[in-house]
Amino acid sequence: MRIKRFSVLLILLLSAGIVQAGTGDELSDERQAYLANLLKQDCGSCHGLTLKGGLGSSILPQDLKERSDEALFITIKNGLPGLAMPPWGELLSDGDIHWLVQRLREGDVN
Ligand code: HEC
């Protein structure tokens, strides 16, 4: 019954807030403004100010259609070793990264 034990553990971690499964909706206005700025300035420095590509590829909604939310989350959190995409997991919480993924889905960062 390993799976069941794992689920119990996951539920415990979730309720303790150790694993953040949130969608990012619960972030404060200040945090959201910080992230919106980061997306434009920091992510934009490689992906282009409008995110349609530069050193990094275009990360506009139409170009990310094939990617799952989970794949985008992991890419942002861990970066892409071997490519210039840096890992953001040190700087950003899981909630922050979920918020960024949602923003990328919506597009229109400006
Ligand atoms: C130092 C340059 C750099 C910065 C800063 C950067 N990226 Fe990237 N990013 C890259 C490169 C290079 C790739 C790989 C592009 C490729 O596949 O050719 C990439 C790939 C990605 C991908 C995967 C795209 C796909 O097609 O799967 C996502 C999503 C992404 N970046 C989001 C972000 C976000 C969000 C930020 C800011 C938090 C960010 N990046 C900051 C360089 C950067």
Side-chain angles (χ1 to χ4, degrees):
M1 286 275 87
R2 289 178 91 164
I3 293 178
K4 191 170 170 207
R5 208 178 297 158
F6 175 74
S7 320
V8 171
L9 181 66
L10 190 63
I11 289 164
L12 283 174
L13 290 172
L14 281 171
S15 53
I18 296 167
V19 173
Q20 296 181 359
T23 56
D25 289 342
E26 64 281 357
L27 298 180
S28 69
D29 289 352
E30 290 76 19
R31 193 66 185 164
Q32 293 189 41
Y34 166 80
L35 292 173
N37 191 54
L38 176 106
L39 192 55
K40 223 184 334 179
Q41 303 299 332
D42 292 55
C43 313
S45 69
C46 283
H47 291 278
L49 211 52
T50 54
L51 303 187
K52 67 175 191 289
L55 167 66
S57 51
S58 167
I59 49 173
L60 291 173
Q62 61 266 32
D63 299 303
L64 296 177
K65 276 206 297 264
E66 309 286 303
R67 309 274 191 263
S68 65
D69 284 358
E70 199 178 22
L72 296 177
F73 179 90
I74 290 169
T75 299
I76 297 170
K77 188 169 168 118
N78 300 334
L80 292 169
L83 296 170
M85 172 67 181
W88 295 88
E90 296 275 304
L91 187 70
L92 304 175
S93 72
D94 287 2
D96 289 343
I97 298 174
H98 281 299
W99 189 89
L100 286 172
V101 170
Q102 277 188 346
R103 262 327 264 269
L104 291 178
R105 289 287 182 225
E106 288 159 14
D108 186 23
V109 295
N110 291 295

